[in-house]
Amino acid sequence: MNRTRNIIYWIATAWLCLGLASTGIVQLLHRKEELVRMQSLAYPPYLLTIIGTWKLLAIPALLLPRMPLLKEWAYAGCFFAMSCAGISHLICAHPFADIFPSLLLLVLTLVSWYFRPAAGRPYPLLNGKAQTL
């Protein structure tokens, strides 16, 4: 069972990090397509730089061992960014093809977070129960 959890965790985390890297780089490059997309959402272009930078910073935070609190913050940031992106596209009545990438990264964030090893949790489980301080 533990081996299956590890496999699911690493597959979801690898795909999440690849998605964050690819979208973060595209956003930092201010590609024309991204600028048009941001304009259609009524967001300023400089937001691409901020979001792209934070996505790239989330990757080492998710992959580095023994930094559970930093990982939680990275997961929270990914959750907020991806859910806000999906909601923004929904509000602007964009087609599902525009909404799908953010929803996929949102699902990968949730799966990776759920299956993370105990060492990656700020408050590890002790005998199946949350450890209190």
Side-chain angles (χ1 to χ4, degrees):
M1 180 69 170
N2 198 21
R3 180 182 162 113
T4 304
R5 287 183 64 88
N6 277 342
I7 291 171
I8 294 170
Y9 165 76
W10 280 111
I11 289 172
T13 304
W15 280 105
L16 173 61
C17 289
L18 285 171
L20 292 173
S22 64
T23 58
I25 289 169
V26 167
Q27 289 167 337
L28 284 176
L29 293 175
H30 287 241
R31 302 273 319 256
K32 183 179 178 182
E33 300 84 15
E34 284 298 309
L35 290 170
V36 169
R37 184 173 291 127
M38 290 301 273
Q39 187 177 23
S40 73
L41 293 168
Y43 290 137
Y46 66 82
L47 196 58
L48 286 172
T49 304
I50 296 169
I51 294 172
T53 301
W54 284 113
K55 282 182 179 181
L56 294 180
L57 289 174
I59 297 167
L62 293 173
L63 295 177
L64 290 175
R66 297 185 199 102
M67 301 186 99
L69 191 57
L70 185 62
K71 281 184 195 301
E72 286 296 308
W73 281 60
Y75 279 124
C78 290
F79 177 82
F80 293 133
M82 297 311 128
S83 60
C84 288
I87 291 168
S88 294
H89 286 295
L90 279 172
I91 289 171
C92 291
H94 287 173
F96 184 73
D98 288 347
I99 303 169
F100 180 74
S102 56
L103 293 180
L104 176 61
L105 289 178
L106 178 62
V107 168
L108 288 171
T109 299
L110 293 171
V111 171
S112 176
W113 175 83
Y114 182 80
F115 286 100
R116 72 197 186 284
R121 298 170 190 249
Y123 306 107
L125 296 179
L126 183 65
N127 296 329
K129 296 180 182 176
Q131 183 180 1
T132 57
L133 296 176

